[in-house]
Amino acid sequence: MSRHRDVRNMDYSDDYDGYDDIYGHSVDDDYYISPSNRQFIYNRDISQRSSEGDIKEEDESEAELSDVDRDKLATCINQITKTLESINISRNDLVNIIIKSKFDVEKSINTILEDPQYQTGALEKALPHPQLVPTPHIEQTKVISSTPKTITNITKGFDLPQKDSITPRSQSPASGKVTPVNNQNQMDFADEVKQLKARENKFDPQFVYKKERGEEKEQLYMVVIGHVDAGKSTLMGRLLCELGQVNQKVMHKYEQESRKLGKQSFMYAWVLDETGEERNRGITMDVGRFQFETKTKAVTLLDAPGHKDFIPNMISGAGQADVAVLVVDATRGEFESGFDHGGQTREHALLVRSLGVSQLAVAINKLDTVSWSKDRFDEIVKKLKAFLKQAGFKESDVTFVPCSGLTGQNLVNEPTEEELLQWYSGPCLLDVIDKFRAPDRPISKPFRLSINDIFKGTGTSFCVSGRIETGTLSIGDKVLICPNREVALVKSLSIEEVSKTVVFAGDQVTVTLSGIEMQNVSVGNILCDPLNPVQVASKFQARIVVFNVTVPITKGFSVVLHHQSLVEPVVVSKLISQLNKNTGELLKKHPRFLGNNTSALIEIQVSRPIALELYSECKELGRIMLRVGGVTIAAGLITQIIL
């Protein structure tokens, strides 16, 4: 124990004699530099001298100001320092500039930026996305100096808040909890408006889209629909295997496992049906996703469930799609049960058309069970053509393809069956998919994203996924979540687990958010641009087309509203008029009821406010569907938002 001091017998007066005058300082030097940040450690004498000088400097500059002017000065200083964070200017110079400009923030910023003695690095911080702006540094200076002139509603520190401003605390109807709002975020809102305005002036979505996606294949989202047991998953699973998207070891494993369950024919369906319950029951329950490429397209496959119990999931998947593949079973009796006797073939076709899908490929599957009969093929085509024309599909946008998912005939390559080659010389299914037209992306419109899933991310943040309906989104943007009207910050973006810095309309993205509680975000909420928020209302008018109903629609009729991923009970509060289904002419005012195959203008009352848009302004958020008892009875367009 010799290495320890004899503390008990130590004479403190001898060991520490002479150190009283430098108490609190380093033993070796009068000052020391912190090894972590290379800055001087706090020195009481220097700090007192510098603070006294600052106080004198401030008193001399602000002594003659009134209380109101002091408030104005504090607000201006706060806004300028946060807009130009890295500015190198003393408080005294900043106060003099503000007073000379008569407390005008815009003039003060212009004066600072035009003076070469101050640091110009603040320009990069003033612009929210400098890496996306392909313009010289001087042009950025001009934009910053001219941007504040367009701002007319900056909230000063001494102004009262407006009634239609964002509420300081938002309440979630589902959870009953509230998210405390960060006061600092509220103080930064005026600065955020400036940054967003500057981005609007400099950020060219078309230019960035061509730069980011110009050399890539066109992105296409394709949903596969049809009656249960029509062979949708098997057809697409075999297509993916033929394209080499599935490992041979994985397919051998699926073959062995399906054989043990006595369902060897389901081995290809298991490529998309991944859950144990789906495999045991032999039906698709949720929307399966997979990616593959054709010659000119990068296709994201959405395998929708066909069973009527999972129609809401099918609607969610179809809402993300640009085009559709309708699979029908050519087996005698099976096609009739799916098409004529209350099957899902009709309903699925009506739903995808109501959701805006205009291009359709009809895969007539299992044609090998009828020996590739041309008569059977023509019979099915004749029935479907008449129905799809009534549903609103153009004949030029519908293609019929005979195929077999189990044998792989006419999926990727030309058919080899002699019986089929005798009468069919058209394209295979993959060629039909490749010839689909990619829709126009409304990337120049205000940002809108419909949330269809919410899950916990890494750390304290959480993630939402959904389809960007219009506009663009970048990392660091602030978004408004409606109808709760909460502001959140975008921390990261990804598409199919690939990180992105900017995403565009039509992309299915995962967004990591911060600054908001997870329990206050729900499926069906809309992320939007804070400067151009989506409308929120609990009552609106819609023009609907009624399908087959067992009970006529009357005033006070309760239905379930499907709007994107939102499912909400509503009441038909008023029947305004009955219209001609083809021309839209007025037939009758205030009808007593609406029967089968009628068109009408109605008023719908929702129990709580929801986020929606007029169809004329945003087609993607202006479509609705009405369902009762698991059956879709009507689809329509929002024509007027009341409140």
Side-chain angles (χ1 to χ4, degrees):
M1 301 297 288
S2 61
R3 71 179 184 274
H4 296 286
R5 289 191 178 190
D6 188 1
V7 179
R8 184 172 298 175
N9 298 322
M10 181 183 292
D11 187 352
Y12 291 95
S13 61
D14 293 338
D15 285 3
Y16 293 95
D17 187 23
Y19 286 84
D20 292 340
D21 57 336
I22 56 172
Y23 178 76
H25 293 266
S26 172
V27 175
D28 297 328
D29 302 304
D30 289 338
Y31 60 88
Y32 197 75
I33 297 178
S34 170
S36 61
N37 54 14
R38 306 300 298 170
Q39 293 181 353
F40 288 102
I41 291 178
Y42 175 75
N43 188 312
R44 188 187 302 274
D45 297 332
I46 296 176
S47 175
Q48 286 180 349
R49 289 195 300 269
S50 62
S51 62
E52 288 173 0
D54 290 342
I55 293 172
K56 289 180 180 179
E57 191 176 63
E58 180 178 347
D59 289 341
E60 292 172 1
S61 303
E62 307 174 29
E64 299 180 358
L65 295 179
S66 63
D67 292 339
V68 175
D69 290 340
R70 285 178 179 272
D71 291 339
K72 292 182 180 179
L73 179 64
T75 303
C76 293
I77 292 175
N78 186 30
Q79 294 178 0
I80 293 173
T81 55
K82 287 177 181 176
T83 303
L84 308 174
E85 294 179 0
S86 61
I87 191 164
N88 185 17
I89 183 173
S90 66
R91 178 183 173 86
N92 188 30
D93 292 343
L94 182 59
V95 170
N96 291 334
I97 291 173
I98 294 173
I99 294 175
K100 288 180 180 179
S101 62
K102 298 181 180 180
F103 305 101
D104 191 321
V105 177
E106 295 80 359
K107 291 183 179 179
S108 302
I109 292 177
N110 293 341
T111 303
I112 295 170
L113 294 177
E114 291 170 359
D115 196 327
Q117 67 174 326
Y118 302 126
Q119 181 179 350
T120 59
L123 294 176
E124 283 109 19
K125 299 224 174 170
L127 286 175
H129 296 279
Q131 72 275 15
L132 301 178
V133 183
T135 53
H137 188 71
I138 298 176
E139 292 187 7
Q140 290 182 350
T141 305
K142 294 180 180 179
V143 172
I144 294 292
S145 62
S146 61
T147 297
K149 295 180 181 180
T150 63
I151 302 175
T152 58
N153 57 347
I154 298 178
T155 303
K156 305 288 185 179
F158 46 82
D159 289 338
L160 293 176
Q162 302 296 324
K163 292 182 179 179
D164 56 351
S165 62
I166 298 175
T167 55
R169 297 179 72 89
S170 63
Q171 299 179 356
S172 171
S175 64
K177 299 180 181 180
V178 294
T179 299
V181 174
N182 191 344
N183 291 331
Q184 187 67 27
N185 290 342
Q186 286 186 334
M187 294 173 64
D188 293 344
F189 188 73
D191 298 326
E192 188 63 28
V193 170
K194 289 182 180 181
Q195 293 183 357
L196 292 172
K197 289 288 187 182
R199 181 190 173 189
E200 281 186 352
N201 292 338
K202 294 299 295 180
F203 183 76
D204 185 1
Q206 297 290 346
F207 176 84
V208 178
Y209 182 78
K210 291 179 181 179
K211 180 181 178 181
E212 294 283 333
R213 307 284 176 87
E215 299 179 357
E216 298 180 4
K217 292 183 178 181
E218 291 181 313
Q219 183 67 43
L220 195 70
Y221 288 85
M222 182 182 73
V223 64
V224 183
I225 58 174
H227 186 61
V228 64
D229 290 336
K232 300 182 295 298
S233 298
T234 300
L235 183 74
M236 290 297 111
R238 183 60 185 258
L239 177 69
L240 294 171
C241 290
E242 294 287 337
L243 291 172
Q245 298 292 323
V246 185
N247 195 321
Q248 290 296 327
K249 290 184 178 180
V250 174
M251 286 309 305
H252 181 70
K253 176 185 175 183
Y254 290 164
E255 183 180 3
Q256 297 297 324
E257 292 178 354
S258 61
R259 183 178 296 169
K260 290 179 182 178
L261 295 176
K263 299 179 178 180
Q264 188 174 357
S265 62
F266 284 76
M267 55 180 288
Y268 293 110
W270 284 13
V271 174
L272 294 167
D273 295 342
E274 298 179 344
T275 65
E277 187 175 1
E278 287 180 322
R279 294 179 176 181
N280 290 331
R281 296 180 60 178
I283 61 174
T284 303
M285 301 170 64
D286 204 354
V287 179
R289 298 175 63 89
F290 219 98
Q291 288 79 40
F292 66 93
E293 291 188 359
T294 65
K295 295 177 182 178
T296 61
K297 303 288 191 304
V299 183
T300 298
L301 174 65
L302 305 168
D303 183 29
H307 198 281
K308 63 180 181 180
D309 292 345
F310 307 109
I311 287 290
N313 293 343
M314 178 266 166
I315 294 174
S316 176
Q320 306 168 28
D322 302 317
V323 297
V325 174
L326 175 63
V327 182
V328 297
D329 190 345
T331 308
R332 297 196 181 277
E334 293 297 327
F335 170 74
E336 286 74 15
S337 65
F339 184 72
D340 296 329
H341 307 299
Q344 304 307 307
T345 303
R346 285 177 177 268
E347 185 174 7
H348 279 204
L350 290 171
L351 286 175
V352 295
R353 187 65 192 95
S354 302
L355 290 168
V357 174
S358 60
Q359 301 178 75
L360 186 69
V362 181
I364 301 179
N365 193 24
K366 303 184 184 180
L367 203 61
D368 56 322
T369 61
V370 292
S371 302
W372 303 102
S373 171
K374 183 178 185 301
D375 294 336
R376 181 60 173 170
F377 178 80
D378 292 339
E379 177 187 354
I380 294 173
V381 168
K382 183 179 179 181
K383 289 184 178 180
L384 285 175
K385 265 189 177 180
F387 166 72
L388 294 175
K389 186 176 181 180
Q390 291 179 353
F393 288 97
K394 295 181 180 179
E395 190 171 342
S396 59
D397 291 336
V398 179
T399 307
F400 295 88
V401 183
C403 59
S404 173
L406 195 59
T407 63
Q409 286 291 321
N410 207 33
L411 294 183
V412 177
N413 302 311
E414 294 182 358
T416 58
E417 288 286 344
E418 291 295 334
E419 296 175 334
L420 180 59
L421 288 172
Q422 291 176 2
W423 56 269
Y424 183 77
S425 59
C428 63
L429 183 60
L430 187 66
D431 291 340
V432 173
I433 295 173
D434 187 60
K435 291 178 181 177
F436 278 135
R437 302 184 307 275
D440 295 332
R441 308 292 185 190
I443 58 178
S444 299
K445 291 186 177 181
F447 167 68
R448 302 284 187 267
L449 182 146
S450 177
I451 299 175
N452 57 38
D453 193 16
I454 304 170
F455 54 93
K456 194 74 174 71
T458 57
T460 59
S461 303
F462 69 96
C463 303
V464 300
S465 66
R467 175 184 169 91
I468 298 182
E469 308 296 349
T470 58
T472 62
L473 184 65
S474 304
I475 295 177
D477 286 353
K478 285 194 174 182
V479 294
L480 188 66
I481 302 176
C482 292
N484 296 339
R485 296 187 182 277
E486 291 207 35
V487 179
L489 179 68
V490 177
K491 293 186 64 178
S492 66
L493 298 167
S494 64
I495 300 176
E496 304 298 340
E497 300 182 354
V498 178
S499 297
K500 300 286 185 180
T501 57
V502 58
V503 289
F504 305 92
D507 292 338
Q508 182 71 21
V509 301
T510 298
V511 184
T512 304
L513 298 176
S514 64
I516 186 174
E517 296 293 336
M518 181 175 177
Q519 62 265 27
N520 287 335
V521 182
S522 304
V523 172
N525 287 169
I526 304 295
L527 299 187
C528 59
D529 186 352
L531 296 180
N532 296 283
V534 68
Q535 299 190 60
V536 177
S538 57
K539 184 184 292 186
F540 60 91
Q541 290 183 7
R543 178 182 174 180
I544 65 168
V545 175
V546 181
F547 305 143
N548 295 325
V549 292
T550 55
V551 179
I553 299 176
T554 59
K555 181 180 179 180
F557 196 70
S558 297
V559 295
V560 177
L561 172 73
H562 286 256
H563 179 256
Q564 293 292 328
S565 298
L566 178 69
V567 181
E568 191 76 14
V570 299
V571 175
V572 179
S573 58
K574 188 183 295 184
L575 302 180
I576 300 174
S577 60
Q578 184 174 342
L579 307 174
N580 185 298
K581 189 176 180 180
N582 297 324
T583 63
E585 295 179 0
L586 178 65
L587 298 180
K588 183 191 296 186
K589 290 186 178 180
H590 306 294
R592 294 180 60 188
F593 65 91
L594 300 175
N596 291 343
N597 301 319
T598 58
S599 178
L601 187 64
I602 65 173
E603 183 178 282
I604 295 176
Q605 177 70 52
V606 192
S607 58
R608 59 172 181 168
I610 61 173
L612 39 77
E613 286 276 26
L614 294 175
Y615 179 78
S616 59
E617 297 178 359
C618 180
K619 294 182 179 181
E620 293 77 8
L621 298 181
R623 297 186 178 98
I624 61 169
M625 273 172 294
L626 305 179
R627 307 186 80 237
V628 175
V631 179
T632 305
I633 63 169
L637 312 174
I638 299 173
T639 58
Q640 182 180 348
I641 297 175
I642 300 176
L643 56 88

